[in-house]
Amino acid sequence: LESAVFILVMGIVVVTVSAIGFYAALKSHYCMMTTFLIIMVLAILCELIAAVTTFALNGEKSHEMGMRKKLKESLDMYGSPTSPQQTKSWDLIQTELHCCGLNDVNDYSRSSFTNQTGYLPESCCGPLQLDKFGEPEKCRPDTPSRHKAGCVIALKSLLVRKVGVVGAMAVIVATVQITIIVGASVLVSKWKVPGQCYPCY
């Protein structure tokens, strides 16, 4: 829910800022174009600060240990009736990344699901064989199709493979933003500076 709200808010902000820039260019409105320029510069500064902060936190062992602890607590809640969202999230992660547990299968030793059933989640295994009654076998540590890698390693491998794409997208977005700022600056420099900005909008 929080992610959906964040995406919705960001979409509204982007549409609003774009509308300000479009209207300012259409009407040759000095004040609004100046406002648009300020917002764009602030956006780039915020992106730069966020990028630096992210890289700095990724290099801190304390931050990584804190994330592992939270993930382990989430994993321990797998199968709990009070935390269905945790179960769905881990099933999705393990199915998509072909992994099991944080580091390995032993991470499920304290989960409520394994303690109650004695089995691993089905998402920890690939295709399961059918028994003589036509029912799929249970996922166990010795099941041949069980995913061997931990999800931390699988996630790091995925990020390494995708880092080039993410970097290219970041460069493209930054280039577009800088181009817009330069173009808007050229327009503003050619317009007559108003004696006052009231009424500005």
Side-chain angles (χ1 to χ4, degrees):
L1 180 61
E2 290 82 1
S3 300
V5 172
F6 175 76
I7 293 173
L8 178 62
V9 171
M10 289 301 297
I12 293 173
V13 171
V14 170
V15 170
T16 303
V17 174
S18 301
I20 292 174
F22 178 77
Y23 182 83
L26 187 65
K27 298 294 185 179
S28 299
H29 204 300
Y30 184 90
C31 296
M32 289 193 72
M33 184 58 76
T34 303
T35 303
F36 174 73
L37 272 172
I38 293 173
I39 294 174
M40 290 297 297
V41 171
L42 289 176
I44 289 183
L45 289 177
C46 289
E47 291 169 6
L48 181 61
I49 292 172
V52 172
T53 303
T54 301
F55 280 110
L57 288 177
N58 284 340
E60 289 187 4
K61 292 293 182 181
S62 59
H63 177 71
E64 183 176 349
M65 292 299 294
M67 289 297 296
R68 282 176 178 268
K69 182 180 179 181
K70 290 181 180 180
L71 288 172
K72 185 64 172 67
E73 292 173 353
S74 171
L75 187 68
D76 291 339
M77 296 298 293
Y78 185 95
S80 173
T82 59
S83 304
Q85 196 60 42
Q86 306 282 7
T87 302
K88 291 180 181 179
S89 298
W90 277 106
D91 280 338
L92 179 62
I93 292 171
Q94 293 177 152
T95 301
E96 293 296 324
L97 298 181
H98 303 289
C99 59
C100 184
L102 276 179
N103 299 306
D104 52 37
V105 67
N106 295 323
D107 290 323
Y108 274 104
S109 60
R110 291 177 54 189
S111 73
S112 57
F113 177 83
T114 301
N115 290 334
Q116 292 173 6
T117 65
Y119 305 119
L120 294 172
E122 288 187 9
S123 57
C124 269
C125 292
L128 296 170
Q129 300 292 329
L130 298 179
D131 58 21
K132 59 182 179 180
F133 300 106
E135 296 293 329
E137 65 175 338
K138 300 299 182 181
C139 183
R140 298 181 174 88
D142 59 350
T143 301
S145 63
R146 179 178 65 80
H147 303 313
K148 302 299 187 294
C151 290
V152 171
I153 296 176
L155 182 58
K156 286 183 177 180
S157 299
L158 176 66
L159 291 177
V160 169
R161 294 196 300 270
K162 300 297 183 180
V163 68
V165 177
V166 174
M169 290 179 61
V171 170
I172 292 173
V173 170
T175 303
V176 171
Q177 289 178 323
I178 293 173
T179 303
I180 291 173
I181 291 174
V182 172
S185 300
V186 171
L187 284 177
V188 169
S189 66
K190 292 182 178 180
W191 293 344
K192 181 181 178 181
V193 179
Q196 59 180 8
C197 273
Y198 179 82
C200 190
Y201 308 110

